């Protein structure tokens, strides 16, 4: 053993090189000077457990003898949607001028109810636009248009105008705009009623071509502002089911691939809303329409497969740790959380086994992979088949983003990929109408409760509050008529503490749906809209008026001539109830084009309820002053 050497002058030691060294160090690891590199590349470690866990993390214990894909060729057949059918209406050519959601969900705006004007906000908006168009050159016609297309002052004694007079905000707005504003929708309705009607009609400038062109510009402005269904062929709403129903088709060889959505109500349209209608062969289009040119392509594309990557995935390189953006250790699944367990297994074990072959498809297309050839790093060529091939109803079959076959059993699975022409995000306005359907097992019926009711002004009011205001208005009209009448009623003083009541009442925003048998069927039933009598104090029960719904959702058939009954399928109202609403929706389409439409949606309700409706009761007499 060398004795300890104490150096007194380190400068002298370096200058005279008193202690020469054999090994020099210029970095942390040693620099080998031998020709044998076996020792240097052994990657020796002092913690075998760490190596074992790293090998388990990378899946090396599975013993797979496979090479990574290096090259791929794909043959894909594509076709595009060419036809569209709303409900059971006439088939029409499909165009992508608007998103598919807007085409399906669009509903006609209601500008009139029971013969009275509604949607005053939109009427005023249209009127202001028309006055703005005529401001340059035709400003002298302002008062004339106010007289031709005017708002009327409601008569507070006229019961037919009760829905306006009964509500203070509607009554105030009607007084404010009468004789001061133009009813723009009345002008639009006049211009659309007949092709010979012009904007200059009944004015001092009748026949003025420039004024008539402004009328055409006004029509174009309104139809671009609100998407409205053209006639009945674009109406996909099915009132008995409170859902949308539509179908689209694309050419497939000598036939067509028809995809149908019979129960769409979710508000977000995607591939899972449609099924393959295998029983149908072709959507027959009207001969008067020019059919869209059918386009079918088949091409072979070459790719370099790219490994799938995601935040927090285990790194497959030695001596490298993950960045920790995702901590799988914090995921604590229960024994029943199968989805979480599958996710963990994929992320920890099979993360580096997935590769992406990028393929860009246009919106509105249907693609089917006819063949996929993969060449790995060892030069082996492999033919890849679809994982979801086989019969559609095979319980062992698994596939993602595939449409189900509708119809008979033993149908071959469809492995095509549908890219619908829809938007990613839709802005939804507040509900203008909202109706809750609930089952009343005590009364053995279904109640449709109007939670939000549209006023003639275009704004929304709570249904219970609007019902009370309307009931009070009718009561005041009746009270005034009794006071003004010379007939004095005989009101004896009853000493009894109880009285007999034939029927009590429910709020006027509760609309009954009663079960009725279908014609010619003794077992199957449907729910038919009915009416409750309006019970007023001191009124003759034999002359009680029927309470009618005030939402467009429940007025189906009421504003038609003759009036039609509204039937609702009994199975559409589950025990949990149903909530249906209507609102405005807005989205941007190609080139930033803005689309506005008025549509409906539904969701599960809040359970059963009881209206308190009862018949043939003995009730206590309330003492009055």
């Amino acid at each position: 053993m060398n004795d300890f050497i104490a150096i007194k002058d380190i400068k002298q030691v370096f200058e005279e090189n008193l202690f020469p060294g054999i090994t020099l160090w210029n970095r942390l690891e040693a620099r080998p000077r031998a020709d044998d590199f076996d020792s240097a590349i052994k990657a020796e470690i002092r913690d075998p457990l760490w190596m074992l866990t790293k090998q388990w993390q990378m899946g090396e214990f599975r013993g797979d003898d496979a090479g990574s894909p290096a090259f791929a060729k794909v043959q894909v057949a594509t076709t595009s949607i060419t036809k569209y059918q709303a409900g059971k209406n006439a088939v029409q050519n499909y165009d992508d001028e608007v998103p598919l959601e807007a085409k399906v969900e669009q509903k006609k705006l209601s500008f009139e109810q029971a013969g009275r004007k509604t949607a005053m906000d939109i009427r005023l908006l249209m009127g202001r636009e028309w006055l703005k168009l005529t401001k340059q050159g035709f400003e002298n016609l302002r008062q004339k248009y106010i007289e031709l297309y005017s708002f009327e002052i409601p008569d507070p004694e006229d019961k037919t105008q009760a829905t306006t007079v009964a509500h203070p905000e509607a009554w105030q707005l009607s007084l404010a705009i009468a004789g001061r504003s133009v009813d723009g929708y009345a002008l639009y309705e006049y211009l659309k009623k007949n092709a010979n009607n012009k904007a200059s009609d009944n004015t001092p400038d009748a026949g003025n071509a420039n004024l008539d062109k402004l009328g055409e510009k006004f029509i174009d402005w309104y139809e671009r502002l609100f998407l409205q269904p053209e006639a009945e062929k674009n109406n996909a709403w099915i009132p008995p089911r409170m859902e949308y129903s539509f179908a689209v088709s694309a050419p497939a060889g000598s036939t067509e691939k028809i995809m149908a959505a019979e129960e769409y109500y979710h508000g977000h349209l995607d591939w899972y809303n449609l099924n393959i209608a295998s029983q149908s062969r072709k959507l027959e289009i009207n001969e008067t329409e020019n059919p869209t040119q059918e386009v079918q392509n088949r091409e072979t594309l070459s790719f370099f497969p790219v490994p799938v990557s995601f935040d927090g995935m285990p790194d497959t390189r030695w001596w490298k740790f993950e960045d920790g953006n995702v901590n799988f250790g914090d995921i604590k699944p229960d024994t029943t959380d199968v989805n979480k367990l599958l996710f963990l297994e994929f992320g920890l074990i099979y993360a580096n086994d997935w590769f992406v072959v990028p393929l860009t498809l246009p919106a509105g297309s249907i693609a089917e992979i006819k063949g996929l050839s993969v060449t790995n790093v060892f030069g082996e060529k492999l033919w890849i088949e679809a994982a979801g091939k086989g019969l559609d109803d095979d319980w062992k079959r698994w596939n993602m983003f595939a449409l189900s076959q509708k119809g008979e059993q033993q149908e071959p699975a469809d492995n095509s990929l549908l890219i619908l022409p829809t938007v990613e995000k839709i802005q939804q306005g507040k509900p203008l109408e909202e109706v809750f359907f609930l089952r009343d097992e005590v009364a053995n019926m279904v109640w449709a409760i109007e939670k939000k009711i549209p006023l003639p002004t275009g704004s929304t009011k709570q249904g219970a509050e609007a019902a009370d205001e309307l009931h009070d208005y009718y009561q005041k009209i009746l009270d005034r008529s009794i006071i003004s009448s010379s007939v004095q009623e005989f009101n004896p003083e009853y000493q009894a503490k109880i009285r007999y009541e034939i029927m009590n009442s429910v709020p006027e925003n509760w609309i009954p749906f009663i079960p009725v048998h279908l014609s010619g069927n003794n077992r199957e039933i449907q729910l038919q809209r009915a009416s409750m009598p309006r019970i007023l104090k001191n009124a003759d029960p034999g002359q009680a008026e029927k309470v009618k719904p005030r939402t467009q959702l429940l007025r189906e058939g009421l504003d038609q001539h003759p009036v039609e009954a509204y039937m609702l399928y009994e199975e559409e109202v589950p025990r949990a109830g149903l909530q249906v609403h209507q609102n405005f929706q807005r989205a941007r389409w190609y080139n930033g084009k803005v689309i506005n439409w008025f549509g409906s949606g539904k969701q599960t309700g809040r359970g059963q309820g009881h209206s308190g409706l009862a018949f043939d009761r003995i009730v206590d007499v309330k003492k009055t002053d």
Side-chain angles (χ1 to χ4, degrees):
M1 179 179 295
N2 295 332
D3 296 333
F4 175 74
I5 302 176
I7 301 176
K8 297 180 180 180
D9 189 354
I10 189 65
K11 184 177 180 181
Q12 180 184 3
V13 171
F14 282 116
E15 290 177 354
E16 299 179 5
N17 195 16
L18 298 179
F19 301 100
I22 299 177
T23 304
L24 296 179
W25 303 86
N26 59 4
R27 54 182 178 178
L28 294 180
E29 69 272 16
R31 178 187 297 173
R33 296 185 178 274
D35 295 334
D36 185 8
F37 293 96
D38 292 343
S39 178
I41 64 177
K42 282 183 178 179
E44 296 178 346
I45 60 173
R46 297 296 181 264
D47 190 353
L49 180 60
W50 184 90
M51 176 59 71
L52 290 175
T53 54
K54 196 64 180 178
Q55 287 179 295
W56 169 82
Q57 184 186 46
M58 292 185 294
E60 292 185 2
F61 296 150
R62 296 180 58 85
D64 291 336
D65 185 12
S68 300
F71 186 72
K73 278 191 174 183
V74 176
Q75 187 179 82
V76 57
T78 59
T79 183
S80 299
I81 297 175
T82 57
K83 296 178 183 178
Y84 168 76
Q85 182 182 24
K88 296 183 179 180
N89 301 314
V91 181
Q92 52 186 303
N93 290 324
Y94 176 80
D95 60 70
D96 59 351
E97 291 296 323
V98 298
L100 187 57
E101 298 104 327
K103 186 181 289 291
V104 173
E105 297 176 10
Q106 58 179 325
K107 297 183 69 176
K108 195 76 173 178
L109 287 173
S110 177
F111 287 90
E112 188 174 315
Q113 186 179 105
R116 305 302 306 169
K117 292 181 179 180
T118 58
M120 293 183 183
D121 53 347
I122 300 180
R123 290 177 180 268
L124 287 171
L125 174 67
M126 298 173 67
R128 287 196 296 268
E129 180 65 21
W130 175 248
L131 294 180
K132 187 188 300 183
L133 290 174
T134 57
K135 190 173 183 180
Q136 301 295 332
F138 302 99
E139 190 172 1
N140 60 317
L141 300 178
R142 174 188 176 90
Q143 190 60 35
K144 185 63 178 179
Y145 278 110
I146 292 177
E147 296 174 0
L148 289 174
Y149 310 101
S150 61
F151 291 96
E152 301 176 356
I153 299 179
D155 183 2
E157 300 297 327
D158 187 358
K159 290 185 178 181
T160 61
Q161 303 181 18
T163 54
T164 300
V165 180
H167 309 296
E169 53 269 64
W171 171 244
Q172 293 170 4
L173 179 63
S174 299
L175 294 178
I177 63 178
R180 298 183 179 90
S181 303
V182 175
D183 185 351
Y185 183 76
L187 172 60
Y188 172 81
E189 195 175 28
Y190 174 78
L191 297 177
K192 294 289 289 187
K193 186 176 181 180
N194 193 317
N196 296 323
N197 292 348
K198 303 297 181 182
S200 62
D201 294 348
N202 304 317
T203 66
D205 287 1
N208 190 310
N210 293 330
L211 187 57
D212 293 339
K213 287 182 179 179
L214 290 179
E216 297 175 0
K217 186 177 180 180
F218 173 71
I219 294 176
D220 181 67
W221 167 83
Y222 170 73
E223 294 179 349
R224 284 187 290 105
L225 182 62
F226 295 109
L227 182 64
Q228 293 286 271
E230 298 178 3
E232 187 64 25
K233 69 177 184 178
N234 285 343
N235 185 15
W237 180 253
I238 310 298
R241 296 197 179 277
M242 292 179 290
E243 298 167 344
Y244 293 101
S245 176
F246 70 97
V248 294
S249 69
S254 58
T255 60
E256 286 184 349
K257 178 175 289 188
I258 302 176
M259 293 147 288
E262 297 183 351
E263 299 180 358
Y264 169 60
Y265 56 85
H266 309 81
H268 179 70
L269 184 59
D270 213 333
W271 59 272
Y272 47 77
N273 295 120
L274 293 95
N275 295 320
I276 302 291
S278 56
Q279 294 180 350
S280 304
R281 289 297 178 185
K282 202 168 185 179
L283 292 181
E284 298 295 338
I285 198 167
N286 195 332
E287 296 180 357
T288 59
E289 296 193 26
N290 297 323
T292 304
Q293 185 178 1
E294 299 182 352
V295 179
Q296 302 180 64
N297 297 322
R298 179 177 291 203
E299 54 183 341
T300 301
L301 305 173
S302 300
F303 301 96
F304 292 109
V306 179
V308 173
S309 62
F310 55 89
D311 289 341
M313 69 177 293
D315 203 289
T316 56
R317 296 179 61 87
W318 283 16
W319 319 111
K320 185 176 180 182
F321 290 90
E322 296 76 22
D323 53 13
N325 288 338
V326 178
N327 186 3
F328 289 104
D330 280 345
I331 302 178
K332 298 177 177 59
D334 292 331
T335 55
T336 57
D337 292 339
V338 180
N339 291 335
K340 289 184 180 180
L341 293 172
L342 290 175
F343 173 75
L344 288 175
E345 186 177 11
F346 167 77
L348 295 175
I349 300 178
Y350 305 105
N352 61 338
D353 292 344
W354 295 84
F355 289 79
V356 176
V357 177
L359 179 61
T360 303
L361 297 172
S365 64
I366 305 172
E368 183 176 359
I369 303 298
K370 295 297 184 180
L372 172 60
S373 174
V374 178
T375 303
N376 63 18
V377 292
F378 299 121
E380 299 174 332
K381 292 186 177 181
L382 305 174
W383 181 257
I384 309 300
E385 297 182 347
K389 67 176 183 178
L391 297 178
D392 184 73
D393 53 354
D394 185 0
W395 67 274
K396 298 180 180 179
R397 191 180 72 89
W398 183 86
N399 200 359
M400 291 184 65
F401 311 112
L403 303 180
S404 300
Q405 290 279 2
K406 177 187 175 183
E408 300 177 357
Q409 296 181 353
Q410 305 298 315
E411 292 282 348
D414 184 272
N415 293 316
S416 58
L417 178 65
L418 172 63
I419 308 295
L420 288 177
T422 57
V423 293
E424 183 178 354
K425 185 177 182 181
I426 298 176
Q427 292 179 316
Q428 295 189 353
K430 295 181 179 179
L432 293 181
E433 295 183 6
E434 193 171 29
V435 179
F436 285 4
F437 290 84
L438 59 84
R439 288 189 173 274
D440 187 349
E441 298 296 345
V442 176
N444 192 26
M445 60 191 303
V446 169
W447 292 97
I449 307 174
E450 295 179 315
K451 299 295 291 186
K452 291 185 178 180
I453 293 177
L455 296 180
T457 60
S459 60
T460 301
K461 198 161 194 174
Q462 292 296 325
E465 184 179 356
D468 290 343
E469 290 178 350
L470 187 62
H471 183 275
D472 293 344
Y473 166 78
Y474 281 112
Q475 186 65 57
K476 291 177 182 178
I477 293 292
L478 178 63
D479 294 341
R480 285 198 294 267
S481 64
I482 292 176
I483 294 174
S484 61
S485 176
S486 60
V487 178
Q488 298 294 328
E489 295 185 355
F490 176 69
N491 295 320
E493 294 183 1
Y494 293 100
Q495 301 297 326
K497 296 182 179 180
I498 59 174
R499 64 181 176 86
Y500 171 70
E501 185 179 68
I502 299 178
M503 182 187 71
N504 64 347
S505 62
V506 297
E508 292 194 0
N509 61 319
W510 287 56
I511 308 301
F513 278 76
I514 59 176
V516 296
H517 282 288
L518 294 181
S519 178
N521 194 316
N522 293 329
R523 297 180 61 86
E524 189 174 356
I525 65 171
Q526 286 187 356
L527 300 172
Q528 181 177 357
R529 179 189 56 206
S531 297
M532 294 291 294
R534 177 174 286 116
I535 300 177
L536 301 175
K537 186 178 179 181
N538 299 325
D540 185 357
Q543 298 180 356
E545 298 179 352
K546 295 180 180 180
V547 177
K548 299 299 181 183
R550 299 179 59 182
T551 55
Q552 186 179 347
L553 287 167
L554 299 182
R555 291 187 62 86
E556 189 69 31
L558 271 182
D559 296 320
Q560 298 181 5
H561 301 284
V563 175
E564 296 182 0
Y566 178 28
M567 309 294 290
L568 182 65
Y569 286 104
E570 190 265 343
E571 63 270 15
E572 294 299 330
V573 184
R575 294 179 64 88
L578 202 63
Q579 178 182 349
V580 189
H581 62 270
Q582 291 196 137
N583 56 356
F584 283 103
Q585 301 178 67
R586 182 179 187 270
R588 284 191 178 273
W589 196 224
Y590 300 146
N591 300 324
K593 181 181 179 181
V594 177
I595 308 294
N596 298 306
W597 71 94
F598 187 64
S600 301
K602 73 175 184 179
Q603 62 189 45
T604 306
R606 301 177 180 177
Q608 302 185 57
H610 178 41
S611 63
L613 181 65
F615 302 88
D616 300 329
R617 300 194 309 166
I618 298 296
V619 298
D620 295 332
V621 175
K622 297 181 179 180
K623 295 182 179 180
T624 58
D625 296 335

